Amino acid sequence: MSTRQTAPPPEQPGRLHPARLLVLGANGPTGRQVVRQALARGHRVQALTRHPETFPVRHDRLDVVAGDATAAGVLDAAVEASDAVVCTIGTAFTRRPVRVYSATADLLVQAMLRHRRRRLVTVTSAGLTPSHPPGGSTGSAPAGSGVGALVRTARHALDHDRVRDAFRAVMRHHVGRTVYDDMAAMEAVVRAGDLDWTIVRPPGLTDAPGRGYVAEETEVEGALCAREDLAAMLLDQLEDDRFVRKVAAVATPGLRVGALHMLWHEVLKR
Ligand SMILES: NC(=O)c1ccc[n+]([C@@H]2O[C@H](COP(=O)([O-])OP(=O)(O)OC[C@H]3O[C@@H](n4cnc5c(N)ncnc54)[C@H](OP(=O)(O)O)[C@@H]3O)[C@@H](O)[C@H]2O)c1
């Protein structure tokens, strides 16, 4: 177990290296990547999970903290013992009302203000705004015939802005409405807090190996993001103030995963 320290938080956003990092959602597929990469970068990590018995990482700079982020009092000591917070908490799509994002944000922002901790990097999702990325593709469909051409054409269609925007609109307003509504509520809470926050909006996440990310304010081209790349981007924010008090869109360029694979792994199986 690590020793909790009470050093005052740094004055400047960014340049937090090495940091005492609190990771919320640490036991999710992105959270695990964040924890592993943070340890590899030399940070000291507190990993919050409701299921510590299933958490796979052990390290002498890692504290696994058991608890529900939406329960009063759980975050307080963990926030006090940290310099920065990365939040990857998430839940599966459901028709029921969702509160985990906004309830976590409420308690987290309060705890950070109470303990004068400033740096918060949190994940929501692409699809919270209309999507018209700069330089979006509008080219013609791939040539050819047969099954190969059909697959190429389908992939091309899925890359197309309008198809992607229509897909996102269905996810935002129908399939995932309660989740997205609560993510929007989380964003409002985070923006209202007097913190050095960064809201990171990835598109569909995959467990494909990372290949380097692109990040821009608000919108970026790319329909997918490897969780490995998302984790790297989240941790990069501790050493970079480019997106402080901003919304950053992130994606892995050129990453392709079959639509059925995504539907099964990221929507139906969860
Ligand atoms: N999947 C996608 O395609 C996609 C697309 C865009 C954005 N996102 C967002 O990206 C982030 C990461 O997604 P992901 O798919 O890697 O992870 P995820 O499957 O959404 O899991 C996140 C983790 O949050 C933890 N959690 C949930 N409720 C909690 C609570 N009340 N207290 C403490 N921990 C709680 C869970 O761990 P425990 O059960 O161990 O506590 C869970 O493993 C999420 O914010 C997600 O909404 C996902």
Side-chain angles (χ1 to χ4, degrees), residues 161-172:
D161 292 353
R162 280 173 295 181
V163 174
R164 188 184 58 191
D165 287 351
F167 177 75
R168 282 187 180 171
V170 169
M171 302 304 279
R172 170 68 183 92

Side-chain angles (χ1 to χ4, degrees), residues 101 124 128 172 179-189 191:
Y101 298 93
T124 59
L128 285 173
R172 170 68 183 92
V179 165
Y180 282 97
D181 284 351
D182 197 41
M183 283 181 181
M186 173 192 236
E187 289 198 356
V189 171
R191 286 169 186 269

